[in-house]
């Protein structure tokens, strides 16, 4: 549903670091075949502690931005994490999402790069999946319990790779040291109260895990945007310029085939400014916890197919079922 090639925001559009911590997306909404399959094989819950992560001394007051003390030049051959404070809440399952707060340091220089989620700032939402988040961060939070503080040492291979990140003064051989608090585990599916089935829109049946199955009505596709609320959540209202965390499934009206979905790989977080207009309009103004179904004609999606518009979904009317899990 994204409308252009851009970094997928892990939470907040205004925070440059958060954007760089997430994986980069393609402008095509179709599943990433071999890359996605390989990423799905990464066990984000099996991250070991080690000499590097154990060597970082971290403050334990969860109400304050953490401090971290370590020798400059700290590195590791693989991502290591140490649980500094073990929370008593729900476990963040692989592919699940949670609101977090974090501080990032350069392991070589010891410099504090950035922080988010403290001093009343907006807490980003991270998904424990390497499809959605920098691999080292996904490995830092997978299967950690709500209320925990962890410290991880992330080598370049699980961070910015062989290029580093000049904007953040991270060289190609610099590791990252991250102290991360798992604040609230986000439900994996919409929890709102069921609403009457919207007349004239596709019908939706849900599997036990929340995965939707869409049945299209007979007849021609609508020529205008159609939005129906299937579940009404009790959370915050989503602003027009918000960043959201959602589960979604996209179906072509033309043949009923599913062309993209988050189910099976973990919820997605992105800014509404970075998706096609119809998708954004379906979410803005809704409440967190809701599930909506939307029919998006080409004018509100990828446009009509033409010599100058050869996008795979150009000319297609699209049906999305969207579970709104969090907003910031």
């Amino acid at each position: 549903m994204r409308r252009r090639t851009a970094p997928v925001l892990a939470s907040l559009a205004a925070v440059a670091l958060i954007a760089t911590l997430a994986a980069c997306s393609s402008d095509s909404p179709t599943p990433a075949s071999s890359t996605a399959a390989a990423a799905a094989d990464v066990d984000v819950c099996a991250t070991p502690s080690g000499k590097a992560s154990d060597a970082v001394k971290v403050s334990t007051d969860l109400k304050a931005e953490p401090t971290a003390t370590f020798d400059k030049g700290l590195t590791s051959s693989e991502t290591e994490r140490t649980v500094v404070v073990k929370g008593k809440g729900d476990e963040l399952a692989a592919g699940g999402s949670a609101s977090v707060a974090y501080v990032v340091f350069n392991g070589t220089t010891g410099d504090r790069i950035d922080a988010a989620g403290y001093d009343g700032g907006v807490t980003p939402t991270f998904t424990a999946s390497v499809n959605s988040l920098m691999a080292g961060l996904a490995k830092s939070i997978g299967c950690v319990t709500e209320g925990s503080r962890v410290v991880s040492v992330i080598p370049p291979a699980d961070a910015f790779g062989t290029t580093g990140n000049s904007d953040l003064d991270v060289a190609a051989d610099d590791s990252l040291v991250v102290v991360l608090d798992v604040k609230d585990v986000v439900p994996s599916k919409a929890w709102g109260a069921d609403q009457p089935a919207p007349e004239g829109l596709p019908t939706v049946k849900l599997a036990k895990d929340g995965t939707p199955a869409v049945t299209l009505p007979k007849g021609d596709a609508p020529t205008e945007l159609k939005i129906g609320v299937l579940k009404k959540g009790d959370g915050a209202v989503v602003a027009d310029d918000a960043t959201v965390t959602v589960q979604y499934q996209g179906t072509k009206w033309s043949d009923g085939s599913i062309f993209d979905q988050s189910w099976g790989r973990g919820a997605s977080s992105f800014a509404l400014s970075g998706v096609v207009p119809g998708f954004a309009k379906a979410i803005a103004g809704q409440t967190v916890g809701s599930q909506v179904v939307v029919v998006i004609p080409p004018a509100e999606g990828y446009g009509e197919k033409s010599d100058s518009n050869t996008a795979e979904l150009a000319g297609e009317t699209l049906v999305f079922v969207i579970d709104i899990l969090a907003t910031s």
Side-chain angles (χ1 to χ4, degrees):
M1 67 288 179
R2 298 184 182 94
R3 65 184 181 192
R4 58 180 178 270
T5 301
V8 181
L9 302 185
S11 178
L12 208 11
V15 181
L17 179 60
I18 295 176
T20 65
L21 295 179
C24 287
S25 70
S26 165
D27 57 353
S28 169
T30 54
S33 54
S34 58
T35 302
D41 292 336
V42 176
D43 185 355
V44 298
C45 294
T47 311
S49 62
K51 291 183 178 180
S53 61
D54 287 345
V56 183
K57 306 304 180 184
V58 180
S59 59
T60 58
D61 181 2
L62 298 181
K63 295 181 180 180
E65 179 180 319
T67 59
T69 304
F70 55 91
D71 292 334
K72 294 180 181 180
L74 185 65
T75 190
S76 60
S77 60
E78 61 179 346
T79 296
E80 298 177 1
R81 73 174 180 201
T82 297
V83 178
V84 178
V85 177
K86 183 174 177 58
K88 298 180 180 179
D90 294 335
E91 184 179 275
L92 175 58
S97 301
S99 61
V100 303
Y102 65 80
V103 185
V104 181
F105 302 88
N106 185 310
T108 300
T109 66
D111 293 339
R112 175 185 178 279
I113 297 173
D114 198 26
Y118 300 103
D119 296 328
V122 176
T123 54
T125 300
F126 283 170
T127 299
S129 165
V130 295
N131 290 302
S132 303
L133 193 63
M134 176 186 284
L137 283 181
K139 293 176 181 180
S140 298
I141 61 176
C143 295
V144 172
T145 53
E146 183 178 280
S148 294
R149 172 169 289 177
V150 299
V151 59
S152 60
V153 179
I154 303 174
D158 279 349
F160 297 113
T162 57
T163 60
N165 188 302
S166 58
D167 291 337
L168 301 174
D169 292 326
V170 176
D173 56 353
D174 290 345
S175 292
L176 301 179
V177 176
V178 181
V179 184
L180 192 147
D181 294 345
V182 178
K183 297 289 191 180
D184 296 296
V185 173
V186 176
S188 61
K189 59 183 179 181
W191 60 87
D194 291 337
Q195 303 296 299
E199 185 176 352
L201 289 179
T203 58
V204 179
K205 290 187 177 181
L206 303 177
K208 187 175 181 180
D209 68 353
T211 304
V214 172
T215 300
L216 302 175
K218 295 180 179 180
D220 295 334
T223 57
E224 297 181 351
L225 186 72
K226 300 288 186 182
I227 302 170
V229 177
L230 303 178
K231 294 179 180 291
K232 179 66 174 178
D234 57 1
V237 176
V238 179
D240 292 346
D241 60 351
T243 292
V244 294
T245 300
V246 303
Q247 292 270 29
Y248 69 89
Q249 183 186 86
T251 301
K252 293 181 184 179
W253 187 287
S254 60
D255 61 10
S257 64
I258 297 171
F259 63 87
D260 188 24
Q261 64 176 331
S262 63
W263 296 98
R265 68 172 188 256
S268 295
S269 296
F270 47 78
L272 293 186
S273 60
V275 298
V276 295
F279 196 94
K281 290 177 182 179
I283 297 174
Q286 305 291 351
T287 51
V288 172
S290 296
Q291 181 183 73
V292 297
V293 58
V294 57
V295 180
I296 304 177
E300 298 278 4
Y302 290 87
E304 297 292 350
K305 187 176 286 293
S306 66
D307 291 341
S308 60
N309 184 8
T310 58
E312 181 180 349
L313 295 175
E316 292 280 358
T317 296
L318 310 176
V319 177
F320 280 98
V321 179
I322 309 166
D323 287 21
I324 306 169
L325 306 180
T327 185
S328 59

